[in-house]
Amino acid sequence: MSYLQLQEEILDQDLCTSCGACVAVCPANIISLNDAFLPETTLDSEMISNVCVSCNLCSEICPGRETDVPASEMFLFGRTRIPEERWTGIMQKSNLVSAVDSSIRDRASAGGAATGLLVSALRSGLVDAVLVIDRDKERPWIPQAILTDDEQTIINCAQSTYCVAPNLHLLKETKYERIGIVGLACEIQAIRKIQRHPKTADLAKKIVFTIEIGCASSTKLSGTEHLIENKLNIPLEEVANVRYRDGQYPGAFTVYTKDDKSKELPFFELVKEFKKFKTFRCLSCRDWWSGIADISISDGDPNIYASSQHGDIPSRFSMVVTRTDIGQRLLELGVNSGTLVAVPEKFEPEESLGLQRKRFRSSSFAKEYPGRVPDSAVLFPDDDAEREDDEIIATMSNRIS
Ligand SMILES: Cc1cc2nc3c(=O)[nH]c(=O)nc-3n(C[C@H](O)[C@H](O)[C@H](O)COP(=O)(O)OP(=O)(O)OC[C@H]3O[C@@H](n4cnc5c(N)ncnc54)[C@H](O)[C@@H]3O)c2cc1C
Ligand code: SF4
Ligand code: SF4
Ligand code: SF4
């Protein structure tokens, strides 16, 4: 059991989510991430067998194929989800939430709940740093995770980065002791595995809370480069900044250039273009939310594709589901400190375009590639009828005006 197992079972199968967890846990420090955000080792196979201590931690922590959600549900809630909780996971409360401060709200993807929660946690001293997604300073179209204790940096990093963006490798060597994390379902799955594993207790004790944002699928960096170069006709060397949900909600993909100009593409165009730039892992992924974060968040508007297509401007809210006691306390901290406002609202999985697309797409993948797809807590006896992705988008997004 060594690095070669990770290579064969995950990397060679295109099952890597690029979460970075294997880098964080490797005691021999032989795994790093390459320019495509994939783990690699520069050692040849003989050197691997000399240096790799065959602890198998990289494979055990990896959420690429084994997400281990039921075991994490037992760890967190003392039970696994029941069929009625198939798509929501086990939850305490759901609210529509928005940030009070317009400098957070207007910079966020939705209502700025994620950013407001991180800022509240830092201000209160609950954490001494948070893990968010920034941009590479030299090549600003490339996402780069950052651990920060600076409030303004957290606010600058608000908004979704619809691009593969590893973050958990940063947990490896850090001066911070109490960290709040925002990430996608696969990243939360890796974190819960780290928290449950007896050999990764040192890493686990640094993690104070996890927030996940819903994920219909992420996109390779080549997708972002395609939009910039081929759809907006901007050479990459001219890029000063990239924002995926800029301006009026639900926002547009906007590229700022070094000559202080900008060009944009409506969100629904981004969704269509990005279809060609997905990994097998994302296309076969079942978990829109993992259901095992302390707090799960999505857009308040359940179909921003349709809103962007029809030119609607819905109210700017995030749907916030609290699952654990720390998650509930964190939301209360945000509200009681005046950073966030929250209004109770039921979460309806049937209305969420992202969730429904993921549900049917992953269901077809499970049938087409038995044995190769990631496991999932939502794999109850599958009664889903076959439905094509384009059909779901069309039926859920066409509106009679
Ligand atoms: C790939 C992807 C797919 C998504 N699919 C859906 C969907 O189908 N339906 C839906 O309702 N919502 C989806 N979302 C979430 C949605 O876009 C908003 O992020 C969410 O509603 C939170 O909004 P907010 O205003 O509360 O967050 P904000 O206040 O804007 O904060 C967002 C936080 O998330 C962090 N972040 C951004 N991108 C990433 C990333 N790639 N990896 C890790 N952390 C990141 C930022 O650093 C920031 O801290 C998706 C997000 C991503 C990144
Ligand atoms: S030392 Fe352990 S974690 Fe590192 S590559 Fe080898 S088996 Fe994986
Ligand atoms: S999914 Fe995460 S842990 Fe698994 S190989 Fe990829 S980066 Fe490493
Ligand atoms: S689709 Fe699944 S694997 Fe891909 S980024 Fe989203 S949660 Fe992770």
Side-chain angles (χ1 to χ4, degrees):
M1 299 293 183
S2 73
Y3 179 81
L4 297 174
Q5 183 182 351
L6 190 75
Q7 180 73 51
E8 277 168 28
E9 295 183 358
I10 304 298
L11 304 178
D12 292 351
Q13 302 290 323
D14 199 11
L15 280 171
C16 175
T17 73
S18 293
C19 68
C22 52
V23 180
V25 299
C26 176
N29 293 324
I30 60 171
I31 312 178
S32 56
L33 296 167
N34 64 20
D35 286 347
F37 301 136
L38 290 168
E40 65 174 15
T41 178
T42 50
L43 307 178
D44 60 28
S45 45
E46 194 187 322
M47 281 295 284
I48 290 176
S49 55
N50 287 337
V51 185
C52 168
V53 298
S54 298
C55 63
N56 210 30
L57 269 182
C58 49
S59 292
E60 285 171 12
I61 272 359
C62 176
R65 189 195 296 269
E66 288 167 18
T67 63
D68 265 10
V69 170
S72 294
E73 286 180 337
M74 286 304 290
F75 169 75
L76 289 171
F77 310 113
R79 69 173 177 92
T80 54
R81 68 183 74 181
I82 53 172
E84 291 71 34
E85 295 163 326
R86 180 181 187 182
W87 302 111
T88 59
I90 298 166
M91 51 188 272
Q92 293 197 7
K93 293 185 178 160
S94 59
N95 282 278
L96 283 177
V97 173
S98 70
V100 173
D101 185 340
S102 62
S103 72
I104 296 180
R105 205 175 53 242
D106 296 346
R107 213 175 153 75
S109 283
T115 302
L117 289 164
L118 297 177
V119 166
S120 310
L122 192 69
R123 280 183 192 156
S124 71
L126 180 64
V127 293
D128 57 13
V130 300
L131 184 53
V132 288
I133 304 296
D134 202 353
R135 298 282 178 272
D136 182 280
K137 296 285 174 266
E138 304 296 320
R139 296 170 297 165
W141 68 96
I142 301 180
Q144 189 173 66
I146 178 176
L147 255 174
T148 182
D149 57 12
D150 177 57
E151 194 172 310
Q152 193 52 51
T153 304
I154 300 172
I155 295 171
N156 290 346
C157 291
Q159 212 167 97
S160 303
T161 293
Y162 294 107
C163 181
V164 171
N167 54 5
L168 303 183
H169 56 294
L170 293 184
L171 296 176
K172 189 169 188 75
E173 278 159 13
T174 166
K175 61 181 178 175
Y176 298 113
E177 302 284 334
R178 288 170 294 119
I179 299 170
I181 295 178
V182 58
L184 305 169
C186 50
E187 291 156 350
I188 307 302
Q189 288 155 355
I191 289 167
R192 293 306 187 200
K193 285 177 128 188
I194 288 172
Q195 289 179 319
R196 288 174 23 236
H197 202 294
K199 290 190 184 155
T200 46
D202 280 357
L203 273 187
K205 70 178 184 219
K206 294 181 185 170
I207 300 160
V208 177
F209 65 78
T210 55
I211 298 174
E212 70 179 333
I213 50 179
C215 180
S217 69
S218 197
T219 308
K220 295 179 195 174
L221 179 60
S222 48
T224 297
E225 293 176 338
H226 163 72
L227 291 192
I228 299 171
E229 291 183 297
N230 305 329
K231 298 303 287 183
L232 296 178
N233 296 315
I234 298 173
L236 291 175
E237 55 275 15
E238 294 303 316
V239 174
N241 199 5
V242 170
R243 311 272 298 154
Y244 290 80
R245 298 273 300 273
D246 221 34
Q248 205 151 37
Y249 188 66
F253 177 76
T254 309
V255 178
Y256 293 88
T257 45
K258 290 177 180 163
D259 58 0
D260 286 333
K261 294 190 176 134
S262 67
K263 284 188 186 174
E264 64 179 48
L265 204 65
F267 176 79
F268 77 96
E269 297 270 6
L270 167 148
V271 173
K272 285 202 253 180
E273 291 296 323
F274 273 2
K275 278 187 164 205
K276 292 169 266 178
F277 300 93
K278 306 287 180 184
T279 63
F280 179 86
R281 177 61 175 83
C282 281
L283 290 170
S284 58
C285 181
R286 277 239 145 164
D287 301 304
W288 184 75
W289 282 333
S290 68
I292 50 173
D294 296 301
I295 293 185
S296 302
I297 305 184
S298 70
D299 269 276
D301 174 1
N303 190 343
I304 56 170
Y305 180 97
S307 297
S308 129
Q309 193 180 27
H310 297 278
D312 299 346
I313 306 171
S315 303
R316 204 181 251 282
F317 284 106
S318 312
M319 169 58 72
V320 174
V321 164
T322 49
R323 302 189 184 279
T324 61
D325 290 346
I326 177 105
Q328 186 59 32
R329 277 211 326 270
L330 180 56
L331 178 60
E332 283 162 16
L333 184 68
V335 172
N336 294 340
S337 64
T339 311
L340 298 169
V341 285
V343 183
E345 179 76 19
K346 192 165 186 287
F347 171 68
E348 302 281 4
E350 296 297 325
E351 290 174 9
S352 164
L353 178 66
L355 192 157
Q356 294 303 325
R357 285 185 68 202
K358 192 162 206 172
R359 165 185 178 179
F360 288 103
R361 190 180 53 216
S362 59
S363 177
S364 341
F365 267 70
K367 282 173 197 149
E368 199 172 338
Y369 302 96
R372 189 180 158 197
V373 297
D375 67 8
S376 168
V378 296
L379 278 173
F380 294 108
D382 207 336
D383 53 0
D384 286 341
E386 303 261 332
R387 289 185 67 190
E388 291 295 325
D389 191 47
D390 286 341
E391 180 206 331
I392 293 165
I393 295 179
T395 48
M396 288 184 72
S397 304
N398 283 344
R399 289 179 187 159
I400 299 154
S401 46

